Amino acid sequence: MTKPKNNIIVRELVNKYQANCDRITEIADACEKEKRERNEAENAEFEALTRENQILQMKMQAAAAEHLRENPNAIEEATRMIRENSAQGQRTEILLVRDMMMVSDVNSGGIVPLNIQEIMRPLQEGFILDKVGLPMPTGLAGDYVWPLYENVDAELAGEGVELTDKKIKLSKLRATPERVGIAIPVTNQSLNQSQGILEMIVREIMPLAIRRLLNKIICSPNKVNASTKLTGPFVALKAKATTLSAVPTFKELNGMKAKMFETGIEGSNACWVMTKSMAAILEGTPINEKGIYVPMIQNGVLCGLPVYTSNEIRDTDGTEFIGLGDWRYQPMGLFGDIRFIVDPYSKARKDAVDFVLNADYATITVRPEAFALGKVAKVV
């Protein structure tokens, strides 16, 4: 196990970091409840807390690096701690911070720092979000706000003619983080009999479930549930989606692109999103059936823009949609830490261990005009 002195230092760093995060959350909750901005005192406290947390993260990373140098079998040590705690009915907490994690025993104070890639693959892996260039900052705290301004026009004026005053309209958009989570109960018998089930849950199943949900939030033309504000750009566009043929034509799709660019969006990061089946159809469909055979999608490019696939853009009734957008205008942020709890208490009557993962994400469509949606007609 970690040396006692280093163990105490790491525990103190983690506790202080978590306390700071809790205080930041309290400030954000108060502002949201009272429907106001942070006051001067809260701003000063917020900035001090975030600065301190950055320093704490660096110290924790240094402690983790030192521990890993001295303990090359840290993963096995962490796994053993989780199994022993589960057998003894003790809870294990796993705190994920940036590029590292802390596996801690809440009763004895034992703690094992790990590199995050060693025990949980990055959540960006397998993301369509990562492929389309969607900004995804992590470790956020407080408010997720974007200041906006409207364009103003210059004017021609003759010599000595006074220019007309112009006003710049300022506004802002605010995204509210919402909890994303998953819980998987596993009986102690299954846990003891299978040497790989713990690792499979931590490394594969739970991160994959979160990835799939975030993909669905961003790409789906429907809300994940009625009350959520965590939606992608296509939800608002569904009712006014451009009507496309059962097999969309090059002219129709290029028209979608032209209409989006007419709004003034630069589109340097624009791309198409469609289902894998629709991409396969367009790869076999010529641009002009009467001319030289040139597939609509060539080398993953359609109308000069890259094509990425996600089956989440299909509607619940099977209707196909094709989305287009510049994803710089749909940032998604991870607030605070990913919280992973191994809980042997709540399912004790069933002799089961509850694996629970929670995280807070926020996303918002900064520029709705940067996105377009086409609805593919059903074959009658």
Side-chain angles (χ1 to χ4, degrees), residues 133-162:
L134 178 148
M136 198 166 182
T138 60
L140 299 176
D143 301 327
Y144 202 8
V145 178
W146 295 266
L148 303 177
Y149 64 91
E150 300 294 334
N151 289 329
V152 293
D153 296 322
E155 60 183 295
L156 286 170
E159 182 178 353
V161 177
E162 185 177 352

Side-chain angles (χ1 to χ4, degrees), residues 42-295:
E42 289 169 336
N43 270 329
E45 184 180 7
F46 171 79
E47 292 174 2
L49 291 170
T50 53
R51 282 196 302 269
E52 185 176 22
N53 270 1
Q54 290 174 349
I55 295 173
L56 290 171
Q57 284 181 5
M58 290 188 288
K59 289 182 177 180
M60 284 189 285
Q61 287 170 345
E66 179 183 353
H67 178 77
L68 291 173
R69 282 195 300 270
E70 298 175 354
N71 300 271
N73 298 321
I75 297 177
E76 290 78 4
E77 182 183 347
T79 301
R80 184 172 61 254
M81 176 188 289
I82 294 173
R83 289 184 181 277
E84 290 176 355
N85 288 348
S86 298
Q88 296 171 13
Q90 298 176 357
R91 191 177 70 172
T92 307
E93 292 184 351
I94 303 178
L95 174 68
L96 284 79
V97 183
R98 295 287 183 174
D99 296 327
M100 62 169 199
M101 61 166 34
M102 302 290 179
V103 181
S104 63
D105 182 336
V106 296
N107 292 316
S108 68
I111 193 164
V112 182
L114 293 174
N115 184 306
I116 192 171
Q117 282 83 5
E118 293 176 326
I119 193 152
M120 180 179 286
R121 297 177 182 177
L123 286 183
Q124 285 84 350
E125 182 180 350
F127 262 6
I128 189 173
L129 316 187
D130 192 40
K131 295 176 183 176
V132 300
L134 178 148
M136 198 166 182
T138 60
L140 299 176
D143 301 327
Y144 202 8
V145 178
W146 295 266
L148 303 177
Y149 64 91
E150 300 294 334
N151 289 329
V152 293
D153 296 322
E155 60 183 295
L156 286 170
E159 182 178 353
V161 177
E162 185 177 352
L163 294 172
T164 305
D165 291 340
K166 303 291 185 181
K167 291 185 178 181
I168 299 177
K169 292 179 61 178
L170 296 176
S171 58
K172 62 184 178 181
L173 292 175
R174 184 191 305 274
T176 303
E178 296 186 41
R179 184 165 64 97
V180 172
I182 180 173
I184 300 178
V186 180
T187 64
N188 277 301
Q189 287 74 23
S190 297
L191 198 62
N192 294 331
Q193 292 171 7
S194 173
Q195 290 298 316
I197 192 167
L198 175 64
E199 294 77 9
M200 181 178 66
I201 289 172
V202 174
R203 295 191 184 195
E204 301 287 347
I205 297 176
M206 299 185 85
L208 178 60
I210 297 296
R211 288 200 299 268
R212 289 180 58 187
L213 178 58
L214 295 182
N215 278 341
K216 185 173 184 178
I217 288 169
I218 289 298
C219 296
S220 176
N222 304 302
K223 284 188 173 184
V224 174
N225 62 55
S227 61
T228 185
K229 295 181 180 178
L230 207 60
T231 60
F234 301 136
V235 173
L237 295 175
K238 181 181 178 181
K240 52 185 178 182
T242 301
T243 301
L244 302 173
S245 303
V247 177
T249 66
F250 184 85
K251 182 178 180 180
E252 290 173 339
L253 296 174
N254 204 43
M256 278 180 59
K257 173 185 172 182
K259 188 175 180 180
M260 187 187 81
F261 283 171
E262 283 175 359
T263 64
I265 293 297
E266 180 185 350
S268 59
N269 206 44
C271 63
W272 300 94
V273 178
M274 62 187 71
T275 64
K276 294 181 183 297
S277 58
M278 180 55 62
I281 290 171
L282 297 184
E283 284 173 343
T285 303
I287 292 175
N288 186 346
E289 295 180 358
K290 298 180 181 179
I292 300 174
Y293 185 87
V294 179

